[in-house]
């Protein structure tokens, strides 16, 4: 509901190219900017994963172009073990922060949250613009690490201390590269905090008349929950990054213990620091980060599925409350990342229990999806296929989580490819499928044109089959004790597993090729796609009430909301649905029976 | 072909006996009649500035909670923890920042009287706002003097974990005070142009009082732990 004293948009229509497309205050442009950045980051991340996969399968193979990126790290195109870890670090950082956080949350959330709640814009457009540009500077700062003399850091996306804190003696990239990494992530935290501030106040204060909280679409709820998680998680990672930078540049010893010997050199300048402190600060953010990636995808997928099933979920409220429960529980499970860190075994038990408990709301959500899909006449299109793919990946990746939640099993599996398979499926691929579902679904509203459905389906099937071919064998490799983070498998017991790695690499190249198809479809449809109508999917929420392309202030007149978000299966003048903003009085088809 | 029997929409009793209303579960199957009850319909919601300020305060609280837990973890089991004596000027600075909160409250009252149009010329809010900003500057200058005192004793950021945390807490807090002074400047400009919103002023006051309370908390931590 509007505060009569505070209009939603504090800015008029943009008048110059710069104010319209570059330093725009419009949440829709900012959403597109986030999406474009995520797209670039996703392809950088994917090329890095290709380089890693080729190296793992054919260790001595020269990768064309790699020697240009780093003559020292990849002489003649063959990467050194250190450079493998540097690429691994950049792949993880790029994907987790600049793709999985920005695309489903910041990109789609920026574009659609104000529209779905019935607002003209976010309440603080300048902060919103700053949010993107600070994040963009963070992205450039991270990319800059490729081009400093020693290259990017090699301490992984988790940047475990003391290696990440001690400086160049810890290896290539641990000097300037690591500082750039910490600065980038610190800036990223600031950007996302500014974004969360806008998301929360938009949802709470700028809802149109009649839009009670329970009438918000599930996607809007997901962005709201995520912004609450992000607010607290990023506010803890930021201090961690500040302390890490101080250890590098100010000579402090927050994370560096005394008596540390690295490369035969005693690190006498430091004393007393706690290596576990970094892990606590990092994982207090790190585990909620998993839900920052997956909860928006859950909301998007639910929204897409409902529209294509033409009926609401079995229980809207149970699904919603389960998402909220996941948000709360995400803070008390982080210690399960530290089972092998030397924590007190009783702490492991304390963290193991909520980890198992969090599977309950996750299972409730999954069962609601499956139960709702059962017997529905789902409209098959690229968006709904990717939504189904998300459910599939979420289940496949989630099941291995049950094993890893138990310290006794995790101790054995922690440093193996089992964990890599688990988090890639449940967090990486699942969230990517959520992003794709959202892209195919909202592309017509965002860009005014339809994406090609045939190529969309080809993209889906290649990605779906390819992703399983990559990540399912990882579990097998893990059970066979194939350690992760190794750049080559020269031990006797690992040699027989190399054919599996070759298969995975071929699958990775195949799946990556499918993403090229997506990129081509995306770019081609931007200019040559069929013109989209205002409501091509016959949706009910407010984004489908407004025109395509969406006017700068979203609505010609601010809508009044009369209905719950998913009124499908009714008899109305428009068909089997009634839009939230329609004052039409309708009855369910059930009333006819 | 078997006949499918559909359930009728479920009804639940309303609070008024004898009157039945449909169950309007979110996303449920039962449509809300166009002229039906508009749940939670109200004409007023919190101004976004108020919500945003609470959100900002929550984020800052989380950050300083993280720094505090870092201090506790770092102190536990570390052999290099050496207590240092706090520069006495910190206590004077505390009085200054508390006084600035008082002067900002006076500013708010005077602006409130003007906004209620009881008297457009009543009071001198700009003067009191300026006094608040002056006291804020005095606080930062006082903190700077404290840093100089430590430096004179040979205590730098990297000297010991205690001095590291001392500089960390005080510098970060001073940055938050600086941010607050930019906010005061913004309020002053809006006040001059007669475009100040009550919600902006309330949010600004809330922030300023918060950084005062934050300082009291940090002073306690510094006194008890460092």
């Amino acid at each position: 509901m509007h505060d009569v004293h505070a209009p939603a948009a504090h800015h008029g229509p943009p008048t110059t190219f710069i104010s319209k497309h570059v330093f725009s205050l419009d949440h829709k442009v900012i959403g597109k900017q986030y999406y474009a950045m995520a797209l670039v980051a996703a392809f950088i991340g994917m090329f890095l994963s290709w380089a890693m996969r080729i190296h793992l399968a054919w260790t001595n193979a020269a990768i064309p172009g790699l020697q240009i990126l780093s003559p020292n790290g990849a002489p003649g195109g063959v990467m050194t073990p250190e450079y493998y870890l540097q690429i691994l670090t950049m792949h993880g950082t790029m994907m987790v922060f600049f793709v999985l956080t920005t695309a489903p949350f910041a990109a789609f959330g920026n574009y659609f949250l104000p529209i779905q709640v019935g607002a003209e814009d976010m309440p603080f457009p300048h902060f919103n613009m700053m949010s993107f540009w600070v994040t963009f500077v963070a992205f450039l700062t991270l990319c800059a690490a490729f081009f400093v003399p020693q290259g990017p850091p090699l301490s992984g996306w988790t940047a475990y201390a003391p290696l990440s804190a001690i400086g160049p003696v810890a290896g290539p990239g641990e000097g300037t590269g690591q500082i750039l990494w910490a600065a980038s992530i610190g800036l990223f935290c600031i950007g996302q905090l500014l974004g969360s501030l806008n998301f929360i106040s938009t949802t709470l204060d700028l809802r149109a008349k009649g839009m009670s909280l329970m009438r918000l679409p599930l996607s809007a709820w997901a962005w709201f929950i995520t912004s609450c998680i992000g607010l607290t998680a990023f506010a803890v990672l930021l201090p961690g990054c500040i302390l890490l930078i101080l250890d590098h540049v100010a000579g402090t010893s927050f994370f560096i213990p005394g008596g540390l010997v690295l490369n035969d050199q005693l690190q006498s300048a430091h004393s007393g620091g706690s290596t576990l402190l970094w892990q606590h600060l990092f994982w207090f953010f790190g585990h909620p980060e998993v839900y920052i990636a997956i909860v928006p995808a859950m909301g998007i997928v639910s929204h897409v599925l409902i529209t294509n099933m033409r009926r609401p979920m079995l229980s809207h409220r149970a699904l919603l409350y389960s998402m909220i429960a996941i948000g709360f529980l995400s803070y008390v499970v982080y210690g399960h990342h530290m089972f092998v860190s030397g924590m007190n075994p009783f702490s492991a038990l304390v963290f193991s229990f909520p980890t198992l408990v969090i599977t309950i709301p996750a299972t409730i959500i999954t069962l609601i999806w499956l139960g709702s899909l059962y017997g529905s006449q789902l409209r098959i299109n690229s968006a709904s296929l990717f939504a189904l793919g998300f459910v599939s990946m979420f289940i496949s990746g989630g099941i291995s989580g049950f094993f890893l939640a138990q310290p006794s099993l995790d101790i054995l599996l922690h440093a193996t490819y089992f964990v890599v398979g688990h988090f890639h499926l449940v967090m990486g691929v699942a969230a990517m499928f959520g992003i794709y579902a959202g892209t195919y679904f909202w592309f017509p509203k965002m860009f005014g044109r339809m994406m090609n459905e045939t190529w969309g389906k080809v993209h889906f099937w290649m990605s779906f089959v390819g992703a399983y071919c990559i990540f399912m064998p990882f579990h097998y490799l893990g059970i066979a004790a194939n350690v992760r983070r190794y750049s080559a498998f020269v031990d006797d017991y690992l040699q027989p597993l190399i054919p599996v790695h070759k298969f995975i690499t071929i699958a990775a190249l195949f799946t990556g090729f499918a993403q090229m198809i997506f990129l081509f479809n995306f770019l081609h449809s931007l200019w040559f796609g069929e013109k989209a109508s205002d409501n091509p999917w016959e949706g009910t929420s407010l984004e489908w009430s407004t025109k395509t392309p969406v006017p700068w202030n979203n609505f010609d007149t601010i809508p009044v909301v009369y209905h719950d978000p998913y009124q499908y299966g009714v008899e109305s003048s428009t068909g089997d649905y009634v839009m939230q903003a329609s004052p039409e009085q309708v009855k369910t088809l059930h009333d006819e029976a | 072909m078997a006949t499918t029997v559909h359930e009728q929409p479920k009804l639940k009793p309303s609070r008024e006996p004898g009157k039945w209303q449909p169950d309007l579960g979110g996303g449920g199957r039962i449509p809300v009649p166009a002229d039906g009850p508009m749940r939670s319909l109200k004409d007023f919601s919190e101004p976004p500035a108020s919500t945003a300020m609470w959100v900002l305060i929550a984020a800052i609280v989380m950050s300083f909670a993280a720094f505090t837990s870092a201090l506790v973890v770092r102190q536990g089991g570390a052999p290099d923890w050496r207590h240092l004596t706090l520069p006495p000027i910190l206590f004077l600075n505390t009085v200054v920042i508390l006084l600035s909160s008082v002067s900002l409250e006076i500013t708010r009252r005077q602006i409130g009287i003007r906004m209620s149009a009881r008297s457009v010329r009543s009071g001198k809010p700009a003067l009191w706002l300026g006094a608040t900003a002056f006291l804020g500057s005095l606080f930062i200058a006082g903190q700077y003097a404290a840093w100089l005192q430590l430096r004179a004793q040979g205590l730098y950021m990297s000297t010991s974990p205690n001095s590291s945390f001392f500089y960390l807490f005080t510098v970060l807090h001073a940055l938050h005070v600086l941010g607050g002074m930019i906010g005061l400047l913004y309020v002053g400009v809006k006040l001059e142009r007669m475009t100040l919103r009550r919600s902006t002023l309330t949010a600004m006051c809330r922030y300023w009082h918060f950084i005062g309370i934050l300082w009291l908390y940090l002073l306690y931590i510094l006194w008890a732990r460092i």
Side-chain angles (χ1 to χ4, degrees), chain B residues 149-182:
Chain B
Q149 283 181 22
L150 279 193
R151 209 173 116 183
Q153 295 171 35
L155 291 168
Y156 297 92
M157 183 94 184
S158 58
T159 307
S160 72
N162 311 59
S163 62
S164 301
F165 276 106
F166 179 85
Y167 283 107
L168 184 73
F169 281 2
T170 49
V171 169
L172 285 175
H173 180 265
L175 286 175
H176 284 83
V177 176
L178 267 178
M181 287 174 62
I182 293 169

Side-chain angles (χ1 to χ4, degrees), chain B residues 44-107:
Chain B
F44 177 78
S45 69
E46 279 290 298
S50 172
T51 307
M53 190 46 71
W54 284 122
V55 171
L56 181 66
I57 287 173
I60 297 172
V61 165
M62 278 306 292
S63 291
F64 277 93
F67 281 123
T68 308
S69 62
L71 182 144
V72 173
V73 171
R74 181 66 178 80
Q75 185 184 14
D80 55 348
W81 198 262
R82 305 268 183 277
H83 282 283
L84 56 87
T85 310
L86 293 184
I89 196 169
L90 292 185
F91 299 100
L92 187 64
N93 293 345
T94 308
V95 175
V96 170
I97 201 162
L98 291 179
L99 281 178
S100 73
S101 268
V102 173
S103 69
L104 191 60
E105 270 308 300
I106 296 171
T107 313

Side-chain angles (χ1 to χ4, degrees), chain A residues 243-553:
Chain A
L243 298 182
L244 190 62
I245 292 173
L246 288 174
D247 270 2
H248 272 272
V249 302
T252 55
S253 299
F254 294 113
F255 302 127
I256 307 167
L260 189 67
V261 177
L262 277 178
N263 293 333
D264 297 331
Q265 295 173 40
L266 177 65
Q267 305 303 310
S268 55
H270 296 278
S271 67
S274 167
T275 54
L276 270 185
L277 172 58
W278 168 260
Q279 292 190 35
H280 281 292
L281 290 174
F282 183 84
W283 286 116
F284 187 85
F285 147 82
H287 197 77
E289 166 61 31
V290 174
Y291 298 102
I292 290 171
I294 211 73
V295 168
M298 284 177 170
I300 292 167
V301 162
S302 303
H303 194 65
V304 170
L305 282 180
I306 291 168
T307 309
N308 286 291
M309 289 190 300
R310 314 306 295 165
R311 64 184 190 188
M313 288 290 172
L314 282 181
S315 174
H316 182 88
R317 284 176 189 244
L319 201 156
L320 174 57
Y321 295 153
S322 295
M323 285 204 296
I324 294 171
I326 284 178
F328 275 110
L329 286 168
S330 68
Y331 290 103
V332 291
V333 302
Y334 78 89
H336 69 222
H337 295 273
M338 299 164 61
F339 285 157
V340 295
S341 67
M343 272 195 318
N344 186 319
F346 290 111
S347 307
L349 183 68
V350 168
F351 284 114
S352 172
F353 180 69
T355 305
L356 289 168
V357 170
I358 206 169
T359 60
I360 295 172
T363 307
I364 291 172
I365 291 174
T366 310
L367 290 178
I368 289 173
W369 284 330
L370 295 179
S372 307
L373 281 164
Y374 182 75
S376 70
Q377 291 177 323
L378 185 73
R379 291 179 179 176
I380 298 297
N381 49 45
S382 307
S384 66
L385 281 173
F386 270 106
L388 286 178
F390 170 91
V391 176
S392 171
M393 294 294 166
F394 187 70
I395 295 171
S396 306
I399 284 174
S400 51
F402 286 95
F403 299 96
L404 294 170
Q406 299 166 60
S408 52
L409 285 172
D410 182 71
I411 287 168
L412 294 171
L413 293 169
H414 189 84
T416 73
Y417 271 87
F418 193 91
V419 174
V420 184
H422 163 69
F423 71 70
H424 270 94
L425 277 181
V426 78
M427 181 191 179
V429 182
M432 283 305 296
F433 274 42
I435 294 166
Y436 284 133
T439 304
Y440 284 105
F441 187 69
W442 280 317
F443 187 91
K445 187 55 74 177
M446 291 172 82
F447 301 103
R449 291 179 185 274
M450 306 295 289
M451 285 185 80
N452 184 298
E453 273 297 314
T454 308
W455 285 115
K457 286 171 184 166
V458 170
H459 171 219
F460 168 73
W461 285 111
M462 286 178 72
S463 302
F464 186 74
V465 172
Y468 269 122
C469 286
I470 299 168
F471 297 113
M472 271 300 171
F474 274 25
H475 296 82
Y476 166 72
L477 290 173
I479 293 167
N482 194 328
V483 283
R484 57 180 170 142
R485 303 196 185 99
Y486 275 28
S487 70
F489 306 117
V490 292
D491 297 289
D492 284 346
Y493 83 102
L494 291 173
Q495 293 280 340
L497 298 174
I498 287 182
V500 183
H501 279 286
K502 287 183 176 167
F503 172 79
I504 292 171
T505 300
I506 292 166
L509 294 170
F510 172 81
T511 314
F513 179 68
Q515 311 320 305
M516 305 285 185
I517 294 175
F518 163 76
L519 186 65
F520 173 77
N521 188 3
F522 186 92
L523 295 175
H524 187 266
S525 304
L526 273 180
W527 285 280
F528 305 110
E530 186 191 330
K531 288 257 182 189
S533 62
D534 289 348
N535 189 6
W537 311 118
E538 299 181 307
T540 55
S541 43
L542 292 184
E543 75 264 35
W544 307 114
S545 296
T546 188
K547 286 187 295 194
T548 300
V550 184
W552 71 272
N553 56 352

Side-chain angles (χ1 to χ4, degrees), chain B residues 42 68 139 181 219-220:
Chain B
K42 53 181 183 177
T68 308
F139 174 81
M181 287 174 62
L219 185 69
Y220 170 74

